[in-house]
Structures are given as structure tokens and as C-alpha cells.
Amino acid sequence: MRVLLLILLLYAADIALFITAISRLTKEETPLNFFLLATSIVIFIFAWIPLCGLHILKPQEAVVLTLFGKYLGTLKDDGFYWVNPFCSAVNPAAKTKLNQSGDVRDSSHMQNILTLSTEGANVSIDSLSKKLSLKIMTLNNSRQKINDCLGNPVEIGIAVTWRIVDTAKAVFNVDNYKEFLSLQCDSALRNVVRTYPYDVAPNVDTTGDGLADEGSLRGSSEVVAKKIRSEIQKRVDEAGIEIVEARITYLAYAPEIAAVMLQRQQASAIIDARKMIVDGAVGMVEMALERLNENDVVKLDEERKAAMVSNLLVVLCGNRDAQPIVNSGSLY
């Protein structure tokens, strides 16, 4: 603020000097008066240059500064600053717009923006944006088709929350830290998913201890998410990025095998249901025979017991309601 006030005072003094030089030239054309006039004009032309060194930083924003190619430092605290006007702010990812929270801007603040379509990313050109955001941002990577450990194609999508912790590494260690993060997320996700089956499968080791376990993408989502986070963190340490959390947002079989896998799940469910029905029916038959014997209601020989068991199992295990036939005659 002091620098801004000094510049304004300099302009005010320069205007006064200009008026004085003009008034003196109208009375007497001396070299001193011409010098004063030339000085006021030069000051008026070049006094705006220090204004280029003024920077306003909001909370959780940073500016990486270089002077003629040399790294000077980073402004991180919010406030009003003045730096060398010949310093330039560096942000190689300023033109990159990914599908993430930090790149969504209000239309009223978008100036001089030209949107281009490229493979894998949407690029926005904004000559005014050289600041780095230190906020926690969410990256929603596009869905990927990956083969699980059994070779079944699976579609999976993740949401990664991240933030910049070292601005110098983010700007200078990688060419574009946003694209670098997106690519590393895709690579880490592929490496982790291919070690897990979609659903629980026998004789599959997902932990690397040599023993089969019940890990799966569908049933162990928390464990898989933690492995994805740690895998991404290893890859982006050099870029000065911290991965706060990684979550699976979408998980399904690929369309080409989804119908077949649905039939397989339905068949497995039907078999499990049948097993439960049969177990229950056998228990009910045993209970009926025991109650008949205990109360001495009727005495049946082995042949009649077998017929009774058969009839009860047919009634209890059938898909449709039984139509009873009443025997009005003797049992024998």
C-alpha cells in the first residue's frame, strides 16, 4: 500500500511539475524550463512500471516468482504486496482445465478465455491466471476400462482430493502438474485394480502374502481406496502434491459382459435360495415325523413314511402352490 501511495504522490507531483513547466515556458523559453517539461513527460510515461509489481493474494493462494529465469520465492500469505515489477509469475498449469473443483469458475470472472478440445483434457487460455491454488481440490478422472485379476473387463472411476504443499516442486519439477496428476491417477488405478477380482473368487491372493483371501473390488472398497491413494502419493511426491483421499465413484462390469455376469449372479442366487429352501423343508419333515411319533397320532410303516416325506418335500420345495388330492378311502 505504501508503494501505491508513493506512486500516486509521484503522479500528482509530476502533474504539478508539468503545469509549472508549461506556465514558465509561456513566459520564458529557457533550457531549464525545457528540461523540467521533458522530465515531467518522462516520469508520466514510465511511472506506471512499478504498478506492475502490485499483487493481491486471497487466502489459500500463492504466486511463484522468477526474475530473468531465476527462482526468487513464493508469496503464500494473503494480503497486498509489491515486488520487483520485472518479476514474472510462473504457473505452467494455468492453461489446463481438468474435470476438477479448482478449475470451475464463475462466468462473470472469465475473461479472455478460449476453450479448446484436446484428447483427455479441456484447455482454457486465461492470460490473467498465474496464481496457484493451495485449497483442497477434487479431481474426477474419467471412467476407465480395466481387466481385473481374473481377466474380466471392469469399468471404474475414482475421485481424488489433493492439494499443493510445495509450490516450487509443482511448478519446476514437472511440466504441468495437473496433467501429471491426472496421468498418475490413471496409471495407479490400473496397477491396483488388476490385482483384485470384481467379486470374491476362490484361490486369489490380493495382499501378496501367498495366501488366498476374500478381497474384491466390490467388497473391499475401503482397502482398495487406501491402496490407490498410497500408490498415487508415491508417484506425485516429486511434484509437491499431497493426496488427501481417493474414493471409488463408479464400479461395474463392462457392457460387453454385464449381461452374462448378471445371469451368473442370478444363477448363484437361485442356487443359494434352493439350498436354503431344501434345508428348511428337510427340517420341517423331520419335525413332522417326530411329532407324529411322540403324540402317537398315527403309526406309519417305512413305505408310508417315504411317501409322506416325498409329498411334503414336493409341497415345500415346489415353485407353485400345491393342489391337494383328498383320499376319502383307506390308506391301505
Side-chain angles (χ1 to χ4, degrees):
M1 184 60 69
R2 291 192 295 269
V3 173
L4 178 60
L5 294 176
L6 287 174
I7 295 173
L8 293 178
L9 290 175
L10 178 62
Y11 266 111
D14 183 62
I15 293 173
L17 178 63
F18 180 79
I19 295 173
T20 302
I22 292 294
S23 63
R24 294 182 63 174
L25 280 173
T26 56
K27 296 178 181 180
E28 184 181 4
E29 294 182 358
T30 61
L32 177 61
N33 294 336
F34 280 109
F35 176 76
L36 293 177
L37 179 62
T39 302
S40 65
I41 294 173
V42 171
I43 293 175
F44 186 81
I45 294 174
F46 294 101
W48 61 270
I49 294 178
L51 293 175
C52 298
L54 297 175
H55 292 274
I56 297 177
L57 287 184
K58 300 176 183 178
Q60 297 298 321
E61 285 185 347
V63 175
V64 178
L65 299 173
T66 60
L67 179 62
F68 304 122
K70 183 179 179 181
Y71 173 63
L72 290 184
T74 302
L75 298 178
K76 292 184 179 181
D77 297 331
D78 56 291
F80 192 24
Y81 295 91
W82 182 84
V83 297
N84 190 326
F86 295 100
C87 288
S88 58
V90 181
N91 184 6
K95 300 178 181 179
T96 302
K97 183 178 180 182
L98 300 175
N99 186 22
Q100 63 180 8
S101 58
D103 291 324
V104 179
R105 299 177 184 172
D106 188 7
S107 58
S108 62
H109 294 87
M110 298 184 69
Q111 301 175 359
N112 301 327
I113 293 180
L114 176 63
T115 303
L116 304 176
S117 297
T118 60
E119 294 182 4
N122 293 326
V123 179
S124 295
I125 298 177
D126 187 351
S127 60
L128 302 177
S129 177
K130 291 295 183 180
K131 299 176 182 177
L132 279 74
S133 176
L134 303 180
K135 301 175 183 177
I136 296 177
M137 293 182 286
T138 302
L139 171 64
N140 292 316
N141 250 20
S142 58
R143 298 174 186 175
Q144 292 191 71
K145 185 184 292 186
I146 307 172
N147 291 340
D148 65 1
C149 68
L150 301 179
N152 298 321
V154 175
E155 286 188 349
I156 186 170
I158 59 171
V160 178
T161 54
W162 64 282
R163 63 184 172 189
I164 297 175
V165 293
D166 192 324
T167 55
K169 285 185 177 181
V171 171
F172 299 115
N173 282 12
V174 294
D175 184 50
N176 188 319
Y177 64 87
K178 289 183 180 179
E179 292 182 354
F180 179 78
L181 173 64
S182 179
L183 292 175
Q184 296 307 320
C185 287
D186 292 343
S187 177
L189 179 64
R190 187 173 297 276
N191 285 343
V192 173
V193 169
R194 68 184 184 183
T195 62
Y196 284 86
Y198 178 86
D199 211 341
V200 177
N203 301 323
V204 174
D205 175 24
T206 61
T207 59
D209 58 359
L211 300 176
D213 52 68
E214 295 185 352
S216 66
L217 296 174
R218 190 169 65 90
S220 308
S221 58
E222 292 290 334
V223 177
V224 176
K226 289 180 180 179
K227 290 190 69 173
I228 293 174
R229 178 195 171 280
S230 61
E231 185 75 14
I232 298 174
Q233 185 64 65
K234 294 178 188 176
R235 298 166 180 263
V236 299
D237 277 337
E238 289 298 321
I241 295 174
E242 177 189 359
I243 305 300
V244 179
E245 189 180 35
R247 291 289 178 184
I248 297 175
T249 57
Y250 180 84
L251 179 63
Y253 281 114
E256 56 266 26
I257 67 165
V260 176
M261 289 300 176
L262 179 60
Q263 292 179 356
R264 179 181 177 182
Q265 291 175 357
Q266 290 175 342
S268 177
I270 291 173
I271 292 173
D272 292 339
R274 287 294 178 185
K275 287 181 180 178
M276 186 178 297
I277 291 173
V278 171
D279 291 340
V282 171
M284 293 175 69
V285 170
E286 291 177 350
M287 181 182 66
L289 293 176
E290 289 177 0
R291 293 291 298 275
L292 290 174
N293 290 332
E294 289 176 0
N295 298 333
D296 201 15
V297 176
V298 64
K299 293 183 179 180
L300 301 175
D301 57 15
E302 296 300 324
E303 183 180 354
R304 295 302 175 184
K305 286 183 181 180
M308 180 180 175
V309 170
S310 177
N311 292 336
L312 287 174
L313 289 177
V314 170
V315 172
L316 296 173
C317 298
N319 290 328
R320 300 179 181 178
D321 294 337
Q323 298 294 329
I325 298 175
V326 178
N327 185 3
S328 60
S330 173
L331 291 176
Y332 295 95

